Amino acid sequence: MEYDDWESDLHEACAHLGDSHQVGGKTQYLANKDECLKCLKDLQAHLKDSSDLGQRARLKLGEWKVLPNHLVPLFVAYREDPELAPSVLKVLVRMTARIDNMGPSEQLRHLQQLQDYKEAFLKKDTFIILMGMLLESMDEDEDGQRPETRVVVFDMVLELLRNLVTVPDPALGDAGFSPMRRDMQMGFIRHFHDEGVLDFFLLFAEGLASEQDCDKKAWALADIIYNICTHSDPEALAYGSKGKDKNVLKDLLAREQADTRLRMPMSTRHSRFGTSLISKTAEGSTTFLTSVMDNNTITRGGRVWRREFHDPEARNDKKVNMFHDPFFVDLEEGSVRDHNQLNTHVKNALEASKVMGEDVMGGLRKFFEEFMQTSFSSLVATLRSTLGVKRDGVPDENPGGPFARMKLLNFVSWFLEFHRHHHIAAATAAKQKREDAPIIDIAAIQGGIDLDMIQFTAARLREYGKGSNMHASHLVVTLRALAQQVKTIDVVVDSKDDDTRDCGEILTQNMIKDNVLFQLSWILKNYKSSSHDPRILTYTVEVFHYMLRLMRTLSERKGQKIEFQVETMGRIVKRGVTTMEQEIARLADARVVDNLFHLLEKYKRLSAALNSMLVKLIYSIIRAQKENIVVFFELSYFFRIQRIGSDPLVRDKRHAKRYGEMVSLLQYILRQFFKCAETNSCVFVELLFRKVPESQKEALLGDHTAEFAAILDNYENEEYARVLDRMRDGQTVNELKTRQRRLADGTLPWSEAEDEILRTRFHIYAEHPLCGELLAAELPEETQRTGAKVRKRLVELGLISSGRQAGMPSARQQDPGEPPSKKAKLDDNIEEPDTLLETDLERLLDAALDAEGGAGAAKSSQGGNASASGTPHPGKSAEDSWFDANMTDDVAAGGVAGEASGMDVDLEAELAAQMDHELFDPQTQSQRPPAASQQPASQQGRAPEAPPPGSVAPAKEESLEAAMETLLKEAPVGGHDSAEAPDASKAGAGPASAAAAHAPQPSASPTQAGFDLEQALESQLDKDSAATNATPQPSASPTQGGFDLEQALESQLDKDLLATAATPQPSASPTQAGFDLERALASQLDKDL
């Protein structure tokens, strides 16, 4: 009942709109003004309703043909009425507007009604009246201001034109299609040209910035111009269509005749017989043949057909295919026709180009040229500024509608293509006149190729590519705009003007910086031919080709390989570099090659330019590395090569020129295969296996390149040989992959041999800070053990405690007499720099002390030391006892210097004298002075002599010297002062043991008394430096003169090793055993005292 009331009210609102009457033999539309105004107000109220009733009202008004039968005649008859005309115009604007949120069936009904409305305004008289109102509303008063009524009328007329032009024409098979309605858009374009509306658009675009609500008006103007572009061929506008139209039909007929002639079977019977042969296969299928010599055609199997694009519907609202939306109007002319040939689901893809008159094309050419010079860049900047994004990621509502981004990208790509063709046409005309070619005007298209627009396009590529896991329909338009940008920049880079060429180079570098090539590589790898639009693949190949061409041009211009900066967008912007070779190597993937070969099979639909780009890209992948050719060694590719090669069109001599590059590529692949077969006979078996890279965790080889190289080398390379050896030992491929997976996860069990290596070698590196890494280097390489894994295993074996790291002494090994600063910090995982330097210094001094410590060790053995007899000394750690035993073995074997002198050696004095000599006089090391214990009393403690004049100081090791200075200055002070430390210079002429006996020192060992080795060395060096300064010398003190400590110690090591080489030593040196130098010196001093 309510529905009947609503419909009756709507019918009453239309009852008094007037009707046509015959007056004086002429048809006139008459209406009662007062009642008509009431009806118009009621209609506005119904149309303003956004609920379901409002949508029903619009559909019902369309069924009743209210607009073509009543509103349009009323508007024409009362166009000069100041009250009726604006009211009728408001109703027209609302009725021609698109309704969103409709169901599929209702949406098609609504579209058919909008097409009826567009046809109603296609009459020239109606269009002239509409344009007259538009121009009148632009007039200004004497004070230079427009009345508010005129501004309202102007906005409504502009909105009405936009609504009408944006309605798509019905295509063949659509509801409401008729031959008269298929080219309604061309009729509007002709009216725009004939009535001078294009000049009005130019004038309006120039003053658009000063208009109120300029964003809305900018989108209205852009929609009108965009729908003009969709039906205009930019190449035809630039060159003209006379010569092009003459050759279209001729080329089609010649191609059809060649194809028919080549496919015609050879007849073996006279035509009078008129019979045919029937051939039956084992499967039961029959084939009719007219000749026994009939060529067998290779047909595609079901699997190949399933790989074709099926134009699926979107499964969710996130990736809706906008090409399925009946209201979306895509570009139809220009280079897009070459790409649309591959998608048979595109409307009008196989139809001929739109035909315009020469006068209309001349007017459009003039309009677009002036528009680009005056308003293109500013309009694009205004449109792009309205495409904001909210914080939650939902795009803001903008006056551009639901396809605002796509229309902007199409708008930019069309104008870039037109400008490029216009420049080429001007250059061709100048060449014919033998004049200098003009420079491309990049200022006119600044809004389409500036950095902001490039970043906008690159952001959409990331969003609709990897970010959306291939949003197919949006990605097609994005790649189309990117292709036009890259092709335009390619023309700019080739310009003869230096400034223009520099701009092209900067734009190229910024495009590479936006990581466009990585996104293109991802698309080539993840493209699915059955679910993704084939135009994605063609546009990607085109963009990649031109990007590589730009990178090659810049590299040749610089004369070297250039590394381009790249920024990876994400949560954190990562910066890196890339080269042309790296980008090509990234395409050496079986998925990429499979997609490219799938596109190569469509060679008949590809244009000559696209076919050439595809072949060159495949060849670049092959030539990047010699191993990449193995990717094509698959049986499926060979079947495709056979299918292409057996095509009569490819073999024809007259019409096969366009396929020459493709045939050469396929022949090259076959030659390389049989060349490989001469070396590796198993390559025929390799045809049965896909060349898809394995998972990184299960890969038996480092990468796919190693496997490809092994196939070319007959599996004789080292890396592949190891895999074959394991298989010969009985391991299967699954076992090898399982082991590789455990290696990657770190769960590979430890073998007994590995544990034995850890037990036997741990004591050597136990005190080194990199103990784990050094032990990992001792293990077999194929186990891929790391330092962290080794340390974890050492804890499991009980070699170290879980509370400390290898390379630091445990708490039970720490001497209680050491200062707190010398105790290990068990809670710290990172050692201090001073501790690391102390460890390195101790190991460097070990070699020098190895041979010189023999005398003291011999004296200790004569005194009945328990450590010399092999019995551990009470109170000593296991490490001290090990050190005493090894030192005793060294002395027993060949350490006789101390026994010959009959003296005890003061080890600290011996060390000080040795360091003085090695550090101050490195060039006289061959004339080594006697040790302190063997010198006369008058010479003990004397400063060394100055080096001879003209001697060259050794090279300075700044890092080691600076570290020593820091250590010597910052070393903590022990339990007694430096004056109480043993000093060889104060010991007198007697033996060191006698000096120690008369010295007022307690009977405890120096370690227990808080002896500090660093402090003693520093005190001795200071005294020697003071004594040296008394004599004029060209070099400074050891801490300031820039000596090379490491070189001096190595020299002393070499001498000591040569001196002791004649006598065999059963035990390893203390340096190799990893002992503590400070503890060893303390033990030796205990024996001497």
Side-chain angles (χ1 to χ4, degrees), residues 722-733:
R722 289 198 296 266
V723 177
L724 295 179
D725 292 341
R726 295 175 186 173
M727 296 178 65
R728 294 189 186 98
D729 294 340
Q731 300 185 35
T732 63
V733 176

Side-chain angles (χ1 to χ4, degrees), residues 837-846 1075-1078:
L837 180 62
E838 177 186 354
T839 305
D840 294 337
L841 180 61
E842 290 176 356
R843 294 192 178 280
L844 289 174
L845 294 177
D846 285 343
F1075 65 96
D1076 192 345
L1077 174 65
E1078 188 172 343

Side-chain angles (χ1 to χ4, degrees), residues 97-401:
R98 175 188 171 182
I99 303 176
D100 297 325
N101 303 323
M102 278 188 171
S105 60
E106 295 178 348
Q107 193 178 38
L108 293 178
R109 288 175 55 197
H110 179 53
L111 175 60
Q112 185 176 357
Q113 294 172 4
L114 291 178
Q115 292 169 353
D116 294 339
Y117 302 158
K118 185 175 183 178
E119 186 180 14
F121 280 94
L122 193 58
K123 297 179 182 180
K124 192 170 185 179
D125 296 339
T126 306
F127 195 85
I128 291 175
I129 294 173
L130 198 61
M131 292 303 100
M133 294 183 63
L134 185 64
L135 296 176
E136 290 176 1
S137 62
M138 291 288 293
D139 295 340
E140 299 178 352
D141 293 339
E142 296 179 356
D143 56 355
Q145 299 293 331
R146 283 191 301 169
E148 186 65 25
T149 57
R150 292 184 180 178
V151 174
V152 174
V153 171
F154 175 82
D155 294 344
M156 288 190 297
V157 174
L158 185 65
E159 189 68 20
L160 179 60
L161 281 177
R162 177 191 184 183
N163 294 341
L164 295 175
V165 173
T166 54
V167 176
D169 295 340
L172 185 64
D174 294 343
F177 171 80
S178 66
M180 298 298 296
R181 300 178 65 176
R182 66 185 306 172
D183 293 328
M184 289 189 295
Q185 194 70 32
M186 300 300 297
F188 273 89
I189 295 175
R190 293 190 190 96
H191 290 333
F192 287 153
H193 171 263
D194 297 339
E195 303 303 325
V197 184
L198 299 176
D199 296 333
F200 161 75
F201 289 155
L202 287 175
L203 180 62
F204 176 65
E206 292 179 5
L208 185 62
S210 60
E211 293 286 339
Q212 296 179 357
D213 198 7
C214 64
D215 293 345
K216 185 176 181 181
K217 294 179 181 178
W219 271 109
L221 178 62
D223 278 338
I224 296 173
I225 299 177
Y226 170 74
N227 283 273
I228 296 175
C229 296
T230 56
H231 290 70
S232 303
D233 188 354
E235 185 178 359
L237 290 178
Y239 296 102
S241 58
K242 291 184 178 180
K244 184 177 181 180
D245 293 339
K246 290 181 180 179
N247 297 327
V248 171
L249 183 59
K250 181 180 178 181
D251 294 340
L252 290 176
L253 291 176
R255 185 170 180 177
E256 181 65 20
Q257 291 176 1
D259 187 64
T260 304
R261 184 177 66 255
L262 292 173
R263 293 184 183 275
M264 183 180 300
M266 297 176 59
S267 179
T268 57
R269 287 190 173 194
H270 196 274
S271 60
R272 292 180 183 178
F273 286 93
T275 58
S276 60
L277 303 177
I278 299 177
S279 172
K280 291 186 178 181
T281 63
E283 298 176 355
S285 61
T286 60
T287 305
F288 290 90
L289 304 176
T290 59
S291 170
V292 294
M293 299 295 295
D294 196 358
N295 295 329
N296 293 324
T297 58
I298 301 176
T299 59
R300 297 183 177 184
R303 181 179 179 183
V304 178
W305 284 114
R306 286 193 296 270
R307 293 192 58 188
E308 295 297 329
F309 178 60
H310 302 296
D311 197 19
E313 294 287 344
R315 298 181 180 178
N316 50 49
D317 296 336
K318 293 183 179 180
K319 294 191 290 186
V320 177
N321 191 344
M322 67 180 179
F323 298 121
H324 292 171
D325 194 309
F327 287 93
F328 177 74
V329 181
D330 196 15
L331 295 179
E332 299 179 5
E333 300 296 332
S335 62
V336 298
R337 297 187 68 87
D338 296 337
H339 297 270
N340 290 345
Q341 294 290 328
L342 280 84
N343 189 353
T344 57
H345 302 277
V346 177
K347 294 181 179 180
N348 305 325
L350 304 178
E351 294 184 2
S353 301
K354 304 294 182 181
V355 179
M356 296 183 183
E358 286 296 326
D359 54 343
V360 177
M361 294 184 63
L364 289 177
R365 184 188 306 112
K366 181 180 178 182
F367 165 73
F368 287 128
E369 290 175 359
E370 295 182 4
F371 178 76
M372 294 186 66
Q373 295 291 337
T374 57
S375 308
F376 171 73
S377 297
S378 59
L379 181 61
V380 170
T382 303
L383 300 179
R384 190 176 61 244
S385 64
T386 62
L387 303 177
V389 178
K390 292 183 179 180
R391 293 182 179 179
D392 56 358
V394 180
D396 287 328
E397 294 183 0
N398 56 74

Side-chain angles (χ1 to χ4, degrees), residues 406-427:
M406 302 299 101
K407 287 189 290 188
L408 176 59
L409 292 173
N410 274 339
F411 186 79
V412 171
S413 61
W414 190 93
F415 274 94
L416 291 179
E417 183 179 359
F418 170 75
H419 186 71
R420 190 173 63 256
H421 286 302
H422 182 266
H423 166 71
I424 296 174

Side-chain angles (χ1 to χ4, degrees), residues 33-62:
K33 182 177 179 180
D34 296 335
E35 294 181 354
C36 185
L37 288 175
K38 292 181 181 179
C39 291
L40 292 174
K41 290 182 179 178
D42 293 340
L43 287 177
Q44 292 180 27
H46 283 286
L47 295 174
K48 285 182 180 179
D49 189 3
S50 59
S51 62
D52 294 339
L53 291 179
Q55 295 181 3
R56 292 178 184 177
R58 292 195 180 190
L59 295 176
K60 185 60 68 174
L61 291 174

Side-chain angles (χ1 to χ4, degrees), residues 534-757:
R535 291 176 291 179
I536 294 177
L537 196 58
T538 57
Y539 279 119
T540 303
V541 170
E542 186 176 21
V543 175
F544 213 104
H545 168 79
Y546 277 98
M547 290 295 295
L548 294 178
R549 179 175 174 177
L550 287 172
M551 297 174 72
R552 187 181 301 107
T553 301
L554 296 185
S555 299
E556 293 175 355
R557 191 164 294 169
K558 299 295 183 181
Q560 59 182 357
K561 294 183 180 179
I562 300 179
E563 292 185 346
F564 299 89
Q565 295 183 358
V566 175
E567 288 186 356
T568 304
M569 305 301 295
R571 295 182 179 179
I572 300 176
V573 179
K574 300 180 180 179
R575 293 179 175 84
V577 294
T578 186
T579 60
M580 182 179 64
E581 291 76 13
Q582 292 177 3
E583 298 300 334
I584 296 177
R586 191 179 294 169
L587 299 182
D589 189 280
R591 297 169 294 176
V592 176
V593 174
D594 195 14
N595 289 327
L596 295 181
F597 231 87
H598 174 73
L599 183 60
L600 189 65
E601 289 183 284
K602 305 180 183 299
Y603 56 91
K604 291 184 180 180
R605 297 182 184 178
L606 293 176
S607 63
L610 280 175
N611 207 344
S612 177
M613 294 176 191
L614 178 60
V615 171
K616 290 179 180 178
L617 183 58
I618 296 176
Y619 190 72
S620 298
I621 297 174
I622 295 175
R623 299 293 294 176
Q625 291 182 351
K626 67 176 184 178
E627 295 86 2
N628 292 346
I629 189 64
V630 182
V631 180
F632 299 89
F633 292 174
E634 292 186 15
L635 195 59
S636 61
Y637 295 142
F638 281 31
F639 275 130
R640 300 178 193 181
I641 293 175
Q642 181 190 9
R643 187 182 302 120
I644 295 173
S646 60
D647 191 348
L649 190 63
V650 175
R651 293 179 294 170
D652 183 61
K653 296 181 179 180
R654 295 177 55 189
H655 301 278
K657 294 181 180 179
R658 58 183 300 179
Y659 307 121
E661 293 180 344
M662 179 184 67
V663 173
S664 299
L665 173 66
L666 300 181
Q667 291 175 351
Y668 176 79
I669 294 175
L670 294 177
R671 283 198 303 269
Q672 294 300 316
F673 173 79
F674 289 106
K675 182 179 178 181
C676 177
E678 296 176 359
T679 305
N680 182 7
S681 58
C682 295
V683 72
F684 293 96
V685 183
E686 292 287 348
L687 293 174
L688 304 177
F689 300 95
R690 294 293 310 273
K691 304 303 183 293
V692 179
E694 294 180 320
S695 173
Q696 192 66 25
K697 293 183 178 181
E698 296 183 356
L700 301 180
L701 303 177
D703 55 0
H704 65 276
T705 306
E707 181 182 358
F708 295 166
I711 295 175
L712 294 177
D713 298 338
N714 196 17
Y715 314 105
E716 293 180 356
N717 58 344
E718 181 179 356
E719 191 172 359
Y720 207 89
R722 289 198 296 266
V723 177
L724 295 179
D725 292 341
R726 295 175 186 173
M727 296 178 65
R728 294 189 186 98
D729 294 340
Q731 300 185 35
T732 63
V733 176
N734 291 332
E735 292 176 352
L736 293 177
K737 289 185 176 181
T738 302
R739 184 178 184 277
Q740 184 66 24
R741 192 184 310 113
R742 290 180 177 179
L743 277 177
D745 298 339
T747 59
L748 183 67
W750 289 77
S751 63
E752 185 61 31
E754 292 177 306
D755 292 341
E756 184 64 23
I757 293 176

